[in-house]
Amino acid sequence: FYWLGRYLERLEEAARLQRAMIARILRPTPSAREIAEMQVLVASLAKIHMMEAEDASVLGAGMLAASVMRAFRHDGGMRRVLADVARQVAQLRDRLTGEMHTVLTRSLRVLGETMKRLPPESNVRSLEHASNLTTEILEFAATVAALAAENMVRGGGRLFLDFGRPMERAQSITAELAQ
């Protein structure tokens, strides 16, 4: 449960950062402030392995779009974190209620299928689909939090899930502040 909480938090953080980056890439001409924000976002995405470190020096919209979309591809960072969450859910099968397991596995399957269906190009349409996917990921994370609050006994599992998320959040906030 501890690692499920951590991986869920990683997935949520990655989705938020990706969505913020996509929004800036889609703007026609970024201001100086937006360029500075993009540099911080690139560094933050590279730090959590959602973007290649060498992409941190490139600020062309086309190159950034391709780099963002790589995270959603077969071996990209978003797919890896989603697989980590799915692996934890599978390991916890006997510790979850039937309803919770069904919702989690169904949602994970839908998210994975949606990632597979993203257009192969790195254009505006693809970025908009990826942005919509980040919203679906954030909805999934909120659903898991609500299910845990409602369906899990206030025992060890829920406590570990609740402990894993803030631990991961504290580490990511510290890393992002460093950027």
Side-chain angles (χ1 to χ4, degrees), residues 33-74:
R33 186 188 77 154
E34 290 171 330
I35 290 172
E37 290 171 352
M38 289 169 73
Q39 290 172 327
V40 172
L41 285 167
V42 167
S44 295
L45 286 164
K47 181 90 173 162
I48 62 170
H49 309 291
M50 293 296 143
M51 192 173 276
E52 298 297 321
E54 53 269 7
D55 292 339
S57 63
V58 178
L59 275 180
M63 296 291 287
L64 284 176
S67 186
V68 164
M69 292 307 294
R70 269 195 298 276
F72 295 96
R73 303 287 182 235
H74 176 66

Side-chain angles (χ1 to χ4, degrees), residues 11 21 30 102 110 131-133 163 170:
L11 184 65
M21 177 57 88
T102 300
V110 168
S131 182
N132 292 338
L133 179 58
F163 184 64

Side-chain angles (χ1 to χ4, degrees), residues 94-168:
D94 61 332
R95 310 270 323 264
L96 298 170
T97 64
E99 300 84 18
M100 190 164 181
H101 184 262
T102 300
V103 168
L104 292 175
T105 55
R106 184 181 306 141
S107 298
L108 288 166
R109 186 176 60 249
V110 168
L111 288 172
E113 290 169 1
T114 304
M115 273 190 205
K116 287 179 187 174
R117 286 193 314 268
L118 283 174
E121 311 84 34
S122 298
N123 56 25
V124 171
R125 186 173 151 261
S126 300
L127 287 170
E128 287 171 349
H129 284 290
S131 182
N132 292 338
L133 179 58
T134 62
T135 300
E136 291 176 34
I137 290 169
L138 294 173
E139 289 170 357
F140 168 72
T143 300
V144 172
L147 281 171
E150 287 296 318
N151 290 339
M152 292 181 75
V153 179
R154 297 244 178 222
R158 168 125 192 259
L159 294 175
F160 275 103
L161 181 68
D162 286 344
F163 184 64
R165 290 187 73 129
M167 289 295 293
E168 187 68 29

